[in-house]
Amino acid sequence: MAEENFHDRTEQATPRRREKAREEGQVARSLDLNSAFVILLGFSSLLILGPYLVQQTQQFLRYMLGNAPSIAASDPTFMKLFGDAMLKFFVILAPVAIALFIIGATVSVAQVGFHISTKALEPKLDKFDLAAGFKRLVGLRSLVSMIRDAVKLLVLGFVSYKVISGEADKFYLLSDMAIPQMAATICKLAVIIAVKIGAAMLFVAALDYMYQRWEFEKNIRMSRQDIKDEFKDTEGSPQVKARIRQIQREMARKRMMQDVPTADVVITNPTHLAVALKYDADKMNAPFVVAKGERLIAERIKQIAHEYDIPVIEDVQLARALFKMCEIGQMVPHSLYRAVAEVLAYVYRLKGKVLS
């Protein structure tokens, strides 16, 4: 069943699926790429900072050897000497350590962006399942990883052999050199060899990174049912959304019915439509729609109007025009001023008022 479900996952992952995988620590990342950059750029920084490191080390050794008697007399246990030596050691190597940290952090951020997730570190009971662990150990993914690692070792081993054998002639000259020159030559050769091997590792790591991206995209693919379920989770199921809209309509209708008693007149179709209007000449430039409805809602508006002694005027054309052109809370359009004014004038005459 799991294999069948995996084959059903033919759709590209949605942004929400990608974000969820990222939160769980699932990202396309190649550790070999980090190692390759650290080796390549780290040893390159050693090549650049080599003179500085040698100079600082020489100064420290000259000080230690030149002041050995006074240091031994003032510090018989050599504890202070040990602490000063360790501090100086860290100060000398600080530029290289900072460079390596910046290189590693930059490569990691370049691959997956800046994101900290602790979910991958959380204990999971399924990791203690021996049967599942054995299946992962002998599964196709483990076989592919083993073959990939073997190929990487063969490639790097071959490149390392070619690089070292290419520099072998220089090792024969070491016997004719003084010790300081010999040490400098050995260090320089070691750094050059490491840089070349790092370049080869970078090529292999780039291929590994492309494979990791392909495998990541394959693992987060979704089936059509997964996409439907995600849409329901984010947007809500059609039934829930319909229920929410129904509740919203009922609340709006309830508020509208509460405003009907404030109307001055209700214009009807006479049976299908009802529009309640309100006008205050001192506060309004034109009448506005308090409530409107059709069929059962229209009947309820007329019922409330009768309960509060609000005039109900039957005017088919005006009722249709108001219902079509006006929303609740909207002013009557200019084209209907005359017709509405005539109705209000008639209502005010009934109530003994004067239309301003």
Side-chain angles (χ1 to χ4, degrees):
M1 180 63 71
E3 184 178 357
E4 182 180 356
N5 291 337
F6 181 80
H7 290 307
D8 290 340
R9 291 157 55 181
T10 57
E11 307 299 321
Q12 293 293 327
T14 61
R16 185 170 183 267
R17 174 70 179 93
R18 293 178 183 276
E19 184 63 26
K20 186 176 180 181
R22 183 180 177 83
E23 291 175 356
E24 294 176 353
Q26 299 178 12
V27 290
R29 179 170 179 250
S30 172
L31 296 177
D32 292 340
L33 199 60
N34 286 59
S35 302
F37 270 105
V38 167
I39 292 176
L40 178 60
L41 299 181
F43 277 97
S44 298
S45 64
L46 278 177
L47 195 61
I48 297 172
L49 297 173
Y52 165 79
L53 298 177
V54 172
Q55 180 187 5
Q56 293 295 316
T57 305
Q58 287 177 346
Q59 290 179 358
F60 179 68
L61 290 176
R62 287 195 187 101
Y63 169 77
M64 295 289 294
L65 296 176
N67 298 277
S70 59
I71 293 174
S74 61
D75 184 21
T77 61
F78 292 100
M79 292 301 297
K80 184 177 184 303
L81 176 64
F82 178 76
D84 292 342
M86 292 300 296
L87 180 61
K88 187 64 176 179
F89 173 76
F90 285 119
V91 170
I92 292 174
L93 293 181
V96 178
I98 293 173
L100 293 177
F101 174 78
I102 293 175
I103 293 168
T106 302
V107 175
S108 295
V109 172
Q111 289 189 76
V112 300
F114 184 78
H115 181 73
I116 299 176
S117 175
T118 58
K119 287 191 175 181
L121 302 177
E122 295 178 357
K124 296 181 180 179
L125 295 178
D126 56 354
K127 293 183 178 180
F128 298 96
D129 189 345
L130 296 179
F134 181 75
K135 288 181 180 179
R136 288 194 298 266
L137 186 63
V138 299
L140 179 61
R141 185 173 182 178
S142 299
L143 179 62
V144 171
S145 298
M146 183 177 66
I147 296 174
R148 185 182 71 236
D149 293 340
V151 171
K152 286 192 291 187
L153 286 175
L154 289 174
V155 172
L156 292 179
F158 176 76
V159 171
S160 301
Y161 168 76
K162 296 296 292 184
V163 170
I164 294 174
S165 61
E167 302 288 344
D169 293 339
K170 297 180 181 179
F171 285 97
Y172 297 118
L173 302 176
L174 295 177
S175 58
D176 298 329
M177 298 180 184
I179 293 178
Q181 187 180 6
M182 181 188 301
T185 303
I186 291 175
C187 291
K188 187 175 181 179
L189 286 174
V191 171
I192 292 174
I193 292 172
V195 169
K196 292 182 178 180
I197 293 176
M201 286 185 62
L202 183 61
F203 175 76
V204 175
L207 297 178
D208 180 67
Y209 177 68
M210 289 189 288
Y211 171 78
Q212 295 293 340
R213 285 197 64 86
W214 174 81
E215 187 178 39
F216 172 74
E217 292 293 335
K218 183 184 70 172
N219 289 336
I220 66 171
R221 280 187 303 188
M222 305 171 67
S223 65
R224 294 184 178 180
Q225 185 61 41
D226 293 334
I227 296 177
K228 292 179 181 179
D229 294 339
E230 181 185 287
F231 178 79
K232 289 181 180 179
D233 292 338
T234 55
E235 302 294 334
S237 65
Q239 294 82 2
V240 174
K241 294 174 69 176
R243 178 57 180 165
I244 292 174
R245 287 195 296 267
Q246 180 183 359
I247 294 174
Q248 291 173 341
R249 286 195 298 267
E250 291 176 354
M251 294 176 64
R253 189 180 305 149
K254 185 176 180 180
R255 289 193 299 268
M256 180 185 70
M257 291 303 181
Q258 292 174 349
D259 293 335
V260 173
T262 65
D264 293 316
V265 64
V266 174
I267 303 175
T268 65
N269 191 23
T271 57
H272 296 91
L273 302 175
V275 180
L277 300 178
K278 180 178 178 60
Y279 179 60
D280 188 342
D282 297 331
K283 300 179 181 179
M284 306 174 188
N285 296 325
F288 73 96
V289 177
V290 173
K292 72 173 187 176
E294 53 185 339
R295 297 182 178 86
L296 294 177
I297 298 177
E299 291 297 328
R300 179 56 182 160
I301 291 174
K302 289 188 290 184
Q303 181 182 355
I304 296 175
H306 290 307
E307 293 175 358
Y308 287 86
D309 294 328
I310 299 171
V312 178
I313 306 299
E314 296 182 4
D315 190 326
V316 176
Q317 298 299 327
L318 182 57
R320 288 178 179 174
L322 288 170
F323 188 86
K324 182 178 180 180
M325 300 173 64
C326 301
E327 297 297 332
I328 298 172
Q330 183 178 347
M331 294 291 182
V332 171
H334 187 271
S335 58
L336 299 179
Y337 277 4
R338 183 180 181 85
V340 172
E342 292 177 355
V343 172
L344 289 174
Y346 172 73
V347 170
Y348 287 177
R349 284 197 298 271
L350 292 177
K351 295 182 177 182
K353 297 181 180 180
V354 179
L355 179 62
S356 301

